[in-house]
Amino acid sequence: MAEAGRLSLHVPEPEVRPGDTPDFSHVPIPRAGSVERPPVDVDPREIRDLAYSIIRVLNRDGEAVGPWAGTLSDEELLEGLRHMMTLRTFDARMLMAQRQGKTSFYMQHMGEEAVSCAFRKALEPGDMNFPTYRQAGLLIAGGYPMVDMMNQIYSNEADPLKGRQLPIMYSARDHGFFSISGNLGTQFIQAVGWAMASAIKNDTRIAAGWIGDGSTAESDFHAALVFASTYRAPVVLNIVNNQWAISTFQGIARGGSGTFAARGLGFGLPALRVDGNDYLAVHSVAKWAIERARRNLGPTLIEYVTYRVGAHSTSDDPSAYRPKTESDAWPLGDPVIRLKNHLIVRGVWSEERHKQAEAEILDEVITAQKQAEQHGTLHSGGKPSTRDMFEGVYATMPPHLRRQRQQAGV
Amino acid sequence: MPRMTMIEAIRSAMDVAMGRDENVVVFGEDVGYFGGVFRCTAGLQQKYGKSRCFDTPINESGIVGAAIGMAAYGLRPCIEVQFADYVYPAYDQIVSEAARLRYRSNGQFTCPIVIRMPTGGGIFGGQTHSQSPEALFTHVAGLKVVVPSNPYDAKGLLIAAIEDPDPVIFLEPKRLYNGPFDGHYERPVTSWAKHPLSETPEGHYTVPLGRAEVRREGSAVTVLAYGTMVYVAQAAAEDTGVDAEVIDLRTLLPLDLDTIVASVGKTGRCVVVHEATLTSGFGAELAALVQEHCFYNLEAPVMRVTGWDTPYPHAQEWDYFPGPKRVGEALVQVMEA
């Protein structure tokens, strides 16, 4: 043992920085199909190893293998592919719209499409998501109109949120999508509270909380795990580990913990890690956790291992802190391509049909965009009224706000 | 009519609200089985069951965050933070979430929660059992802020707060829990039993939010007060013989400006008193409003008597607490101006 000398501070660093060669050889990737699928009523203490492995269904040859395979039909998988492609196209168009000045801000999902799209298909009507700003797949896969999403992004006269919210901070109660907040982590404990309410009312609906790898360091992550554990709330607690929190690599939030999922073990929660770029695996694991919640067996913590291919937001340039080609080296590949290849192997899809679908989807998104733009964009066309700025602070407008509205001349 | 202490009145309010609406749930630290460290929830768990009234982990952000999720589901949580001094871990949830939920979701989600918390000093509570953080909430659009000063109001305002569709910060002056207190700490404490405002109906009634009450009519100067300071102001008026009109604001946000303006219009003078520290305290808002709305009636500068701009001390309790002597001096001074 070293002699006790002066202390020094440990600050974790990613393996590589701009200019270096991307390297994920330190990330152990288990073979597809190699992780067991326990019964949903398993004692969490018996599956502690699942917090350190990665549940995967699609192998390198595009085949679905192992005990987590088989939760989806051909039609459902084709639909899933379409949802992911739609989200990707939607992202591309909105990114461009931001560059064109039609909106002030946008955040893409590139590389993470499978997580929210597949999870959404495992839920039932009435269940409630408490999403972050990077789960728009919940809306796309849930059938929420793209035009309404765009109206929100453009803050136009048809914006369902009346121009009050920053772009992409959607809210869609009837689609099981809780109002997004800019404050990170807050919604994780709220999801637990919603689930507790459902249990208090002896309902059958469950909640899903969402958080990124970086935000797990927020205090509300801890609050959520404590409350979920204490009250055995019917909630699925989802951590999307895309390796990056803006410029900060995941090791800063994770510290010495082996995985984010492992955080759940100390709270007595069953904790699973899943290949976040494997649509089939995400769906299967989501289904398992949702069934657990619905059968009143308690909460589950899931870590989705994925990679944030795009910039953090339209205000971010990742080349300042990570190698430009890092996403190409990501060992779990691209969720769209992997599902596409699987469907081809399955014999229900082809390169031609894929190209055709791409064109159709682009057409659909552009049509929605044109429709939305008829209602205005941030700096031109129809806008929400100034009166709307004063409404909705309270159920009934109090006298001081009435005076201020009058001062504003509306 | 039965007489209640403020504790009993608050407990009764939750009992009535829980009895009338199955969506009302009560929780917080030590709130369940034990009935609260101040006894405000005594018996509620036994009466309504563990799913309606329960203990929580010690995590204020968790308590408020869970309540917001429940409210989004459709419940009406009435939750407790053990001391207002310990609300800060929940500040993000209150300011960023509860206050903004209706606005940011355009009414898709609302947050009808009540956050009860014992507040104020005069009890040798030192730095973390004496604070009056109301100004941290009155500055937040979307919140309502209530401070009762007697059992009748405490029950009526709490029921109104629970039934209100918006989030309400409900600050309970713990110095008033067992009896009124006018700051004359050298005298024996009195109990609520002898005070007319301890007469509290057993059943349902409300005291509307947003309305002040004139506690002492007067013609010389208007005193704006709430919580414990209502009694201190009344004592100061009696001690000095200045014919002060004492207004108990009851709700700080939204504020009953009409009652304030009518009174200052009549008296031409105004003294604002609160326990909280001076700088950027709620008194600053009150003074500014009086100046703005009563400028041509004012015959003297608006004065503020408040806690000093220090953390709340322990040994120096009565040098810190703005008692009847300091308030009385201000009354005399404002009359001489």
Side-chain angles (χ1 to χ4, degrees):
Chain A
M1 197 186 287
E3 236 175 278
R6 290 194 176 267
L7 301 169
S8 65
L9 182 71
H10 170 68
V11 181
E13 272 294 323
E15 304 271 324
V16 291
R17 284 296 192 185
D20 297 339
T21 307
D23 179 18
F24 287 104
S25 57
H26 61 285
V27 181
I29 308 289
R31 261 185 319 107
S34 65
V35 178
E36 58 167 324
R37 185 183 187 283
V40 291
D41 59 354
V42 67
D43 182 337
R45 286 172 299 188
E46 289 172 23
I47 56 165
R48 295 171 70 90
D49 55 324
L50 293 194
Y52 294 97
S53 192
I54 302 180
I55 295 164
R56 306 178 63 228
V57 171
L58 292 176
N59 68 14
R60 276 187 198 172
D61 300 323
E63 295 157 342
V65 294
W68 293 88
T71 56
L72 290 159
S73 67
D74 289 347
E75 290 69 32
E76 288 168 329
L77 286 170
L78 287 166
E79 194 193 23
L81 180 66
R82 197 166 189 94
H83 291 151
M84 290 199 288
M85 291 168 74
T86 305
L87 178 55
R88 188 165 289 188
T89 308
F90 183 94
D91 273 352
R93 294 298 302 184
M94 290 298 102
L95 192 64
M96 201 194 303
Q98 191 276 336
R99 299 301 187 217
Q100 293 166 336
K102 291 174 181 173
T103 180
S104 62
F105 182 75
Y106 191 70
M107 297 178 106
Q108 319 170 63
H109 302 75
M110 182 72 89
E112 301 175 39
E113 292 90 346
V115 178
S116 53
C117 287
F119 188 91
R120 179 62 184 80
K121 297 310 287 182
L123 290 170
E124 296 290 331
D127 295 340
M128 184 63 73
N129 285 287
F130 287 74
T132 77
Y133 46 66
R134 225 186 292 277
Q135 277 88 43
L138 296 171
L139 290 173
I140 300 269
Y144 186 77
M146 275 189 286
V147 181
D148 288 336
M149 293 170 74
M150 290 167 175
N151 288 334
Q152 197 281 326
I153 290 165
Y154 288 144
S155 292
N156 63 22
E157 65 186 8
D159 175 1
L161 307 182
K162 306 278 187 189
R164 294 174 190 153
Q165 263 286 39
L166 191 70
I168 73 156
M169 305 276 178
Y170 315 106
S171 179
R173 183 193 167 99
D174 297 340
H175 283 73
F177 192 95
F178 184 73
S179 156
I180 295 177
S181 165
N183 297 67
L184 299 178
T186 49
Q187 76 290 338
F188 217 48
I189 173 68
Q190 292 165 5
V192 177
W194 196 98
M196 288 170 68
S198 188
I200 287 168
K201 300 303 280 181
N202 307 125
D203 200 345
T204 58
R205 296 180 285 162
I206 65 112
W210 294 86
I211 204 164
D213 47 286
S215 302
T216 60
E218 290 280 5
S219 306
D220 282 344
F221 175 76
H222 175 263
L225 266 57
V226 174
F227 275 63
S229 169
T230 298
Y231 302 107
R232 287 192 212 158
V235 63
V236 182
L237 295 168
N238 298 306
I239 305 168
V240 183
N241 176 8
N242 67 14
Q243 316 299 317
W244 291 96
I246 307 187
S247 74
T248 308
F249 94 112
Q250 51 129 338
I252 293 285
R254 181 173 47 77
S257 175
T259 66
F260 288 101
R263 296 256 193 250
L265 299 181
F267 295 85
L269 303 181
L272 286 68
R273 272 181 112 218
V274 56
D275 179 346
N277 292 11
D278 180 340
Y279 187 93
L280 286 79
V282 170
H283 181 269
S284 188
V285 169
K287 202 176 162 208
W288 187 90
I290 289 164
E291 191 188 337
R292 245 183 77 76
R294 202 161 336 262
R295 286 174 57 178
N296 212 29
L297 296 164
T300 304
L301 185 70
I302 304 174
E303 176 185 346
Y304 302 86
V305 183
T306 183
Y307 184 86
R308 194 196 79 210
V309 175
H312 165 70
S313 72
T314 49
S315 310
D316 175 49
D317 173 16
S319 69
Y321 51 81
R322 68 183 191 190
K324 277 184 176 165
T325 54
E326 192 178 77
S327 64
D328 300 334
W330 176 243
L332 296 176
D334 179 286
V336 175
I337 293 170
R338 283 174 69 192
L339 181 54
K340 172 190 148 192
N341 289 344
H342 172 62
L343 289 166
I344 291 171
V345 168
R346 237 170 137 111
V348 295
W349 199 239
S350 66
E351 290 289 352
E352 295 70 42
R353 286 173 72 180
H354 193 79
K355 278 205 177 64
Q356 197 188 335
E358 275 177 338
E360 278 168 22
I361 288 166
L362 180 62
D363 201 43
E364 251 176 72
V365 176
I366 289 173
T367 304
Q369 194 177 1
K370 281 182 181 157
Q371 210 181 322
E373 288 179 10
Q374 280 171 7
H375 293 289
T377 57
L378 181 61
H379 298 297
S380 70
K383 292 182 192 328
S385 80
T386 310
R387 277 180 82 86
D388 279 326
M389 181 171 73
F390 292 97
E391 300 284 344
V393 182
Y394 299 91
T396 311
M397 192 176 294
H400 69 283
L401 269 181
R402 280 206 303 275
R403 282 196 300 276
Q404 289 171 29
R405 189 178 68 182
Q406 219 166 5
Q407 275 173 15
V410 290
Chain B
M1 199 179 293
R3 290 183 176 275
M4 296 186 192
T5 66
M6 201 134 135
I7 289 166
E8 289 162 344
I10 287 163
R11 188 210 158 276
S12 176
M14 283 183 273
D15 189 1
V16 166
M18 292 175 90
R20 282 166 64 95
D21 183 353
E22 287 191 344
N23 290 323
V24 176
V25 290
V26 169
F27 55 93
E29 297 157 18
D30 304 296
V31 159
Y33 180 85
F34 178 60
V37 294
F38 290 105
R39 315 310 302 149
C40 288
T41 55
L44 295 178
Q45 183 176 82
Q46 203 175 11
K47 185 166 177 182
Y48 295 101
K50 283 200 290 185
S51 66
R52 300 279 308 281
C53 176
F54 53 88
D55 293 317
T56 63
I58 302 174
N59 187 319
E60 288 76 16
S61 182
I63 294 167
V64 176
I68 293 167
M70 290 182 193
Y73 175 94
L75 300 190
R76 287 183 172 263
C78 176
I79 59 178
E80 180 178 303
V81 170
Q82 204 160 75
F83 287 87
D85 315 62
Y86 300 133
V87 71
Y88 310 120
Y91 201 57
D92 190 27
Q93 287 287 348
I94 295 171
V95 176
S96 312
E97 303 293 320
R100 315 267 196 254
L101 191 51
R102 177 188 297 278
Y103 190 74
R104 75 169 197 235
S105 72
N106 192 26
Q108 289 176 9
F109 298 94
T110 61
C111 194
I113 68 174
V114 179
I115 308 175
R116 292 180 41 244
M117 45 187 132
T119 187
I123 55 144
F124 281 94
Q127 293 187 25
T128 56
H129 299 79
S130 307
Q131 296 168 30
S132 299
E134 60 271 14
L136 297 178
F137 300 108
T138 53
H139 192 55
V140 179
L143 297 179
K144 294 183 178 178
V145 180
V146 176
V147 190
S149 68
N150 59 72
Y152 179 87
D153 278 1
K155 178 170 174 180
L157 287 166
L158 183 52
I159 294 175
I162 293 170
E163 292 173 358
D164 194 273
D166 292 309
V168 180
I169 305 295
F170 197 86
L171 294 156
E172 301 167 0
K174 57 189 157 315
R175 177 69 235 205
L176 301 180
Y177 268 159
N178 290 303
F181 178 68
D182 63 8
H184 280 297
Y185 58 89
E186 71 285 2
R187 297 177 190 165
V189 291
T190 55
S191 75
W192 280 115
K194 295 185 184 117
H195 197 285
L197 287 170
S198 71
E199 285 191 5
T200 308
E202 295 274 14
H204 178 272
Y205 70 95
T206 59
V207 172
L209 305 188
R211 294 230 201 109
E213 182 78 13
V214 177
R215 294 294 173 207
R216 182 191 191 281
E217 288 197 14
S219 58
V221 49
T222 299
V223 181
L224 303 180
Y226 48 91
T228 309
M229 298 311 290
V230 170
Y231 302 96
V232 175
Q234 285 175 283
E238 303 308 322
D239 293 353
T240 56
V242 174
D243 188 21
E245 179 147 291
V246 177
I247 298 179
D248 179 355
L249 297 174
R250 301 199 291 198
T251 302
L252 308 189
L253 185 69
L255 186 69
D256 184 354
L257 189 60
D258 293 345
T259 298
I260 296 170
V261 171
S263 177
V264 179
K266 179 177 75 175
T267 62
R269 290 177 165 83
C270 182
V271 173
V272 176
V273 296
H274 57 59
E275 289 181 59
T277 50
L278 177 72
T279 302
S280 302
F282 189 61
E285 179 64 26
L286 291 171
L289 284 169
V290 168
Q291 186 274 142
E292 187 184 340
H293 292 270
C294 310
F295 184 76
Y296 296 105
N297 298 105
L298 283 175
E299 293 173 40
V302 178
M303 288 191 70
R304 286 180 286 166
V305 185
T306 70
W308 307 116
D309 281 338
T310 69
Y312 204 113
H314 185 246
Q316 302 90 338
E317 174 84 84
W318 304 119
D319 300 319
Y320 178 92
F321 185 88
K325 185 160 169 287
R326 274 177 60 204
V327 176
E329 282 164 7
L331 293 182
V332 171
Q333 207 182 324
V334 80
M335 291 312 296
E336 288 168 353

